[in-house]
């Protein structure tokens, strides 16, 4: 037996929960996603776990457009966006999203995890600082770990604690505060107006993960930054369509 097989041979928790009929993961759905779905046994069940807040996944116009795109472009991009995988459709979408959010540029990613893993370490590195709310999403934690920047955090939504952290940092250093707009486990909102005040006072930048904000808060679903009227003061943000884009 190999080392890994040896390590995990006694790990039987999933099997225990499957047998007890309470294992919640990888459950097969056989219908369209919606507020009600059909499971593999044909049961109609209410869906409380969905992130498709806008309902656009089932919108007939979106389905018809996706069918036309499949006919024209096939089922894949045959390469990374960076090289040969950028379609005119990507660029059109990014332009329209930038206009919608009143931002200079938008870049689409395939998942929210990919945004946080791909962007944070790219924009801050050695000598810089990342300051996170201690309830930030796990993908922000994974993303920040990839950066050589010094990593600090403050108590959830505690602006005094954030200020305590910022006070100790050099004024001229690059300091990126990263928060969930809507915290995914707690469901509360980041205190963006106060965060923006502190950003200005301590010369920082701010990134907002709008995974659960876009499509829900703000004018026509422009997100939590729009809800608080701070979009122009936020340096980077991203949200799900439900799929991700970076603003
Ligand atoms: C706040 C937050 N950020 C990031 C993600 C990761 O997004 P994805 O599941 O598209 O990778 C999630 C997941 O829903 C989330 O809730």
């Amino acid at each position: 037996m190999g080392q890994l097989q040896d390590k995990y041979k006694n790990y039987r928790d999933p099997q225990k929960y499957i047998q007890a009929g309470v294992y919640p993961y990888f459950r097969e759905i056989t219908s369209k996603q919606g507020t009600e779905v059909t499971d593999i046994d044909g049961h109609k069940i209410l869906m409380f776990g969905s992130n498709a807040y806008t309902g656009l996944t089932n919108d007939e116009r979106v389905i018809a457009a996706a069918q036309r795109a499949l006919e024209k472009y096939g089922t894949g991009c045959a390469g990374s966006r960076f090289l040969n995988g950028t379609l005119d459709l990507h660029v059109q979408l990014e332009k329209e999203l930038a206009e919608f959010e009143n931002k200079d540029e938008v870049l689409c990613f395939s998942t929210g995890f990919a945004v946080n893993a791909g962007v944070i370490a790219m924009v801050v590195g050695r000598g810089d600082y990342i300051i996170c709310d201690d309830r930030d999403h796990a993908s922000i934690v994974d993303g920040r770990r990839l950066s050589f920047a010094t990593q600090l955090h403050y108590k959830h939504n505690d602006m005094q604690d954030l200020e305590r952290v910022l006070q100790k940092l050099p004024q001229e250093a690059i300091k990126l505060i990263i928060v969930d707009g809507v915290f995914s486990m707690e469901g509360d909102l980041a205190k963006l107006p106060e965060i923006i005040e502190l950003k200005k006072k301590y010369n920082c930048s701010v990134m907002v993960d709008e995974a659960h904000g876009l499509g829900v808060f703000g004018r026509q679903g422009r997100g939590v930054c729009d809800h608080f009227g701070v979009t122009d003061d936020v340096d980077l943000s991203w949200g799900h369509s439900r799929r991700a884009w970076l603003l």
Side-chain angles (χ1 to χ4, degrees):
M1 196 178 269
Q3 281 180 314
L4 282 179
Q5 290 85 339
D6 206 29
K7 178 173 177 189
Y8 290 112
K9 71 177 184 293
N10 294 325
Y11 178 61
R12 286 282 165 268
D13 286 358
Q15 285 75 3
K16 227 167 49 192
Y17 294 120
I18 289 167
Q19 261 182 355
V22 293
Y23 186 72
Y25 304 118
F26 302 106
R27 292 179 62 170
E28 291 168 56
I29 289 168
T30 58
S31 62
K32 282 183 179 162
Q33 291 283 355
T35 49
E36 199 179 80
V37 296
T38 309
D39 74 6
I40 189 83
D41 301 317
H43 298 128
K44 280 201 180 319
I45 48 179
L46 291 176
M47 167 57 77
F48 289 104
S50 169
N51 294 303
Y53 305 118
T54 56
L56 284 175
T57 43
N58 290 336
D59 187 289
E60 279 172 17
R61 293 160 301 172
V62 178
I63 293 171
Q67 282 168 340
R68 288 197 301 276
L70 269 176
E71 285 297 328
K72 181 168 178 194
Y73 299 94
T75 56
C77 293
S80 77
R81 280 293 303 276
F82 189 49
L83 297 171
N84 58 316
T86 292
L87 306 178
D88 54 352
L89 275 185
H90 291 126
V91 177
Q92 185 190 339
L93 174 63
E94 287 164 348
K95 276 192 184 138
E96 289 181 18
L97 287 171
E99 260 171 47
F100 178 68
E101 282 287 338
N102 197 27
K103 287 283 179 189
D104 297 333
E105 299 281 351
V106 165
L107 187 62
C108 289
F109 286 71
S110 51
T111 68
F113 178 86
V115 179
N116 287 330
V119 172
I120 299 172
M122 189 193 68
V123 295
V124 282
R126 213 177 294 284
D128 303 334
Y129 295 87
I130 297 172
I131 306 105
C132 287
D133 185 294
D134 67 10
R135 296 294 162 83
D136 274 356
H137 189 261
S139 59
I140 296 177
V141 177
D142 287 339
R144 71 170 167 75
R145 280 193 186 131
L146 294 173
S147 169
F148 288 107
T150 302
Q151 324 236 338
L152 302 162
H153 58 89
Y154 61 94
K155 288 188 211 133
H156 177 53
N157 256 343
D158 183 334
M159 296 297 106
Q160 277 184 343
D161 201 37
L162 172 57
E163 183 152 23
R164 177 191 62 78
V165 172
L166 296 179
Q167 271 167 352
K168 296 183 188 152
L169 305 181
Q171 180 75 5
E172 70 288 356
I174 290 180
K175 302 175 281 295
L176 180 63
I177 303 168
I178 310 176
V179 290
D180 291 18
V182 182
F183 286 89
S184 57
M185 293 293 115
E186 292 73 18
D188 53 357
L189 306 188
K191 295 181 177 168
L192 286 179
E194 289 96 323
I195 291 173
I196 296 299
E197 264 180 49
L198 292 171
K199 160 197 156 133
K200 290 179 179 165
K201 183 167 172 190
Y202 292 98
N203 189 31
C204 307
S205 300
V206 172
M207 174 170 172
V208 181
D209 173 335
E210 289 260 30
H212 303 288
L214 277 172
V216 181
F217 285 90
R219 290 167 304 140
Q220 289 86 41
R222 284 175 167 82
V224 176
C225 299
D226 185 83
H227 168 76
F228 285 120
V230 297
T231 303
D232 291 348
D233 290 313
V234 169
D235 303 273
L236 292 163
S237 69
W238 71 262
H240 279 127
S241 64
R242 167 77 199 190
R243 286 300 77 184
W245 62 79
L246 175 76
L247 308 162

